[in-house]
Amino acid sequence: MRKSLIVGNWKMNKTIQEALKAVKALKNEIADVTDIEILICPSFTSLYIINNEIKNSNINLGAQNIFWETKGSFTGEVSPIMIKNVGCSYVLIGHSERRQYFYETNKTANKKIKAALLAGLIPIVCVGETLREKKENMTFKIIKKQIKQNLVGLAIGDASSVVIAYEPIWAIGTGKTPTSNQIEEIHFFIRKIYDEMYKNVAEKVRIIYGGSINSDNISEFMKKSNIDGGLVGSASLETKVFSRIIKYSRF
Ligand code: PGA
């Protein structure tokens, strides 16, 4: 049985004070949630203080990025060991904004995934097609290539702990989403690729959806058997909205 995972990706938002205020409020709002795994990914600068705040709560901590080396002369980068050390259990890898603005590729994502696993972090690997690729009916081809190249060389045990986030780029921050049936079809396809790559792993892997999730559309998505959760951007910045998304089954 796969436990659903709902992630708040705060991106480059919130100062330390704002992040702390938000997490204190979130802690109260979702204190009684046990059926969903809750994860927030704040900026690097807030990780330390938030880790102190969420001890003994049902909120987990993740980073939005890492570098693949463990230490050394890499000015401006943060290593997987540092991220683990500050209290994170998860890290987002290959988010489309990283690919778009910082030239990350499937190859660099693969290096980061391996480094994350080595440090004991669970990578949340983001894949998804652009609008042009969707219009040219290339979605399945692109997703297959991304999954294969991102996971190349991963041992079976590691491959089963990775979380895949399907995030169509045209749906991020646009208010547009695929239908729940379309998402389900792609998640099923991802599971099939997994099945081709690894024996008896596909059913264990969590595949979450991201792109313009809000408190109105989440329950429709979560009805589908292959949608194991959500990666929420802007709607995670408002505590009331984000906690409503987490508690979708009660509304
Ligand atoms: P959004 O972002 O929810 O604001 O569309 C999702 C994401 O980029 O992970």
Side-chain angles (χ1 to χ4, degrees):
M1 191 50 188
R2 300 183 295 267
K3 188 167 186 179
S4 299
L5 172 68
I6 294 190
V7 186
N9 173 13
W10 287 355
K11 307 191 179 183
M12 199 176 71
N13 293 290
K14 297 188 192 294
T15 61
I16 294 173
Q17 291 77 7
E18 288 164 350
L20 198 56
K21 196 172 158 202
V23 86
K24 279 184 176 166
L26 182 66
K27 222 165 77 170
N28 283 333
E29 292 278 349
I30 49 85
D32 60 344
V33 173
T34 53
D35 54 335
I36 304 276
E37 191 175 347
I38 302 160
L39 173 67
I40 50 167
C41 299
S43 305
F44 288 138
T45 49
S46 299
L47 289 174
Y48 182 80
I49 202 147
I50 290 194
N51 184 49
N52 287 338
E53 187 59 39
I54 60 175
K55 278 187 184 139
N56 307 316
S57 81
N58 54 351
I59 302 174
N60 296 287
L61 193 61
Q64 298 173 18
N65 181 33
I66 44 163
F67 190 51
W68 57 77
E69 294 288 348
T70 49
K71 63 177 178 180
S73 305
F74 303 102
T75 303
E77 293 296 327
V78 179
S79 84
I81 290 174
M82 292 168 184
I83 290 303
K84 179 76 181 170
N85 179 246
V86 79
C88 290
S89 43
Y90 285 85
V91 59
L92 302 178
I93 309 258
H95 188 281
S96 65
E97 286 151 15
R98 302 279 334 156
R99 294 177 192 255
Q100 184 182 353
Y101 302 120
F102 306 100
Y103 312 108
E104 291 199 4
T105 60
N106 292 335
K107 208 171 168 175
T108 58
N110 178 253
K111 286 188 183 190
K112 291 184 178 194
I113 293 163
K114 287 175 177 162
L117 288 162
L118 209 61
L121 294 163
I122 300 174
I124 300 178
V125 182
C126 305
V127 297
E129 80 285 4
T130 62
L131 187 59
R132 188 182 62 79
E133 288 160 349
K134 175 182 153 62
K135 283 185 176 158
E136 290 173 2
N137 289 322
M138 285 168 62
T139 301
F140 289 94
K141 200 175 158 199
I142 290 292
I143 303 286
K144 188 169 189 167
K145 187 174 165 194
Q146 287 175 333
I147 298 283
K148 292 219 157 182
Q149 293 189 351
N150 285 346
L151 302 188
V152 72
L154 247 65
I156 197 162
D158 285 341
S160 66
S161 64
V162 167
V163 175
I164 304 288
Y166 168 56
E167 295 209 300
I169 295 165
W170 53 270
I172 296 177
T174 59
K176 293 185 186 134
T177 68
T179 64
S180 56
N181 282 338
Q182 287 166 333
I183 302 169
E184 172 69 7
E185 192 185 0
I186 297 203
H187 286 208
F188 180 75
F189 176 71
I190 293 172
R191 228 178 273 292
K192 226 174 73 195
I193 301 168
Y194 241 93
D195 211 28
E196 285 165 22
M197 292 174 75
Y198 302 98
K199 228 178 156 43
N200 302 325
V201 168
E203 283 307 313
K204 294 185 200 138
V205 173
R206 286 182 294 179
I207 306 173
I208 63 177
Y209 166 76
S212 296
I213 291 180
N214 58 42
S215 50
D216 294 327
N217 59 24
I218 183 75
S219 44
E220 198 52 41
F221 298 150
M222 294 301 285
K223 277 183 200 152
K224 299 291 176 187
S225 62
N226 283 295
I227 304 180
D228 303 315
L231 178 49
V232 188
S234 57
S236 72
L237 294 172
E238 271 291 332
T239 305
K240 286 262 179 239
V241 179
F242 189 45
S243 44
R244 226 187 131 100
I245 291 173
I246 293 166
K247 296 195 282 191
Y248 72 90
S249 59
R250 304 182 195 183
F251 293 97

